Amino acid sequence: MQTKLFLLFLFCCSLIFAQKKQSPFNGELLFTAKRIIPADSAKENVLIYAKDSLLKVINFSSHMGKQELIKHLTKEKSYLLLETTKGKFAIKTDYSKAQDTSLQYSFTKKMGSKKINGKKAKKLEVKFNDIDKKFTFYYYKDIDAKYGSAYTTFPGLVVQYVIPTDHGVYEYVLTELKQTNPPLTLFMIPESHKRVTLDEFMDVMTKP
């Protein structure tokens, strides 16, 4: 009888821990990146502002320059903000296609952890389908993966990871985390930007 009660107690405890959810995140995340394959001095930065279900992702790339993306996670909408010689645009992007898919990679949880930016991060092993090499990733278990700019289906926010591109493989590491309450205006499309679809944007840019 005591054994049955003990097993029931363990089962109830497991349910409690299994039902624990990640809390909404509000704040700033700054990632720095370097190219590791082939290794050189090329740099990138990603600055993310989060406010519950709203995200603003700002990429600073040596190849692409500055790019800004606004996401509404609940409504599954996103807009790419661009400034061109023909005006300023908010281009509606296909949110579903921007999400990760298991067709490109697979991952396995591994034993081990390390401190990143002063906070414990757990270990993952990731294998890309078209690369004959396994990579070690790290993630924060208590912050939802959806607040990152990549690998949004992982068990937590990835804070050290790699992204294969046409220009090589880049390694990203979280270097700064601030828990703040960004203003709502930061996630609004500026009045100076015209809302267009991708096709409409291409039509404007190709006209003489």
Side-chain angles (χ1 to χ4, degrees):
M1 182 66 179
Q2 289 181 338
T3 302
K4 289 183 178 179
L5 289 175
F6 178 69
L7 291 173
L8 180 61
F9 171 75
L10 289 179
F11 176 70
C12 292
C13 288
S14 67
L15 286 179
I16 292 172
F17 286 109
Q19 291 172 356
K20 185 177 180 182
K21 294 183 178 180
Q22 296 159 321
S23 301
F25 176 73
N26 295 285
E28 301 176 23
L29 302 164
L30 177 63
F31 291 84
T32 58
K34 62 181 179 180
R35 189 162 66 181
I36 58 174
I37 302 176
D40 68 4
S41 59
K43 299 284 185 179
E44 292 194 7
N45 290 288
V46 179
L47 176 60
I48 300 174
Y49 294 98
K51 188 180 183 71
D52 195 6
S53 63
L54 298 173
L55 281 185
K56 186 169 189 177
V57 182
I58 306 175
N59 284 278
F60 303 91
S61 168
S62 55
H63 295 289
M64 301 295 293
K66 180 182 176 182
Q67 292 182 310
E68 296 185 50
L69 183 69
I70 296 175
K71 292 183 181 181
H72 196 303
L73 302 177
T74 304
K75 294 183 178 180
E76 295 191 350
K77 291 183 177 180
S78 57
Y79 287 88
L80 179 65
L81 305 183
L82 289 180
E83 296 185 14
T84 74
T85 55
K86 295 190 176 183
K88 300 178 181 180
F89 300 91
I91 306 168
K92 186 177 181 180
T93 59
D94 190 332
Y95 187 95
S96 62
K97 290 183 179 179
Q99 303 309 297
D100 298 322
T101 103
S102 58
L103 298 176
Q104 299 166 336
Y105 58 82
S106 59
F107 68 87
T108 307
K109 291 182 180 180
K110 293 292 184 179
M111 296 291 291
S113 64
K114 72 175 184 178
K115 289 286 187 71
I116 295 181
N117 200 40
K119 183 179 173 69
K120 182 180 178 180
K122 296 180 72 67
K123 189 176 182 180
L124 290 171
E125 185 178 80
V126 178
K127 174 69 173 68
F128 293 93
N129 294 353
D130 54 353
I131 300 178
D132 188 24
K133 176 180 172 63
K134 294 181 180 179
F135 295 91
T136 298
F137 285 32
Y138 288 90
Y139 69 98
Y140 288 160
K141 185 178 179 180
D142 60 338
I143 301 180
D144 200 304
K146 67 184 180 182
Y147 292 109
S149 63
Y151 307 109
T152 54
T153 61
F154 276 29
L157 177 74
V158 285
V159 291
Q160 181 175 330
Y161 60 95
V162 302
I163 294 182
T165 73
D166 294 337
H167 302 286
V169 178
Y170 286 79
E171 181 182 56
Y172 290 76
V173 180
L174 180 70
T175 55
E176 191 172 319
L177 184 154
K178 295 180 182 178
Q179 290 189 316
T180 60
N181 188 22
L184 186 60
T185 53
L186 191 64
F187 307 93
M188 298 173 65
I189 296 175
E191 293 183 359
S192 57
H193 287 62
K194 181 180 179 181
R195 298 192 189 204
V196 294
T197 64
L198 180 58
D199 289 339
E200 290 171 340
F201 175 74
M202 294 304 296
D203 286 341
V204 172
M205 298 305 295
T206 53
K207 286 181 180 178

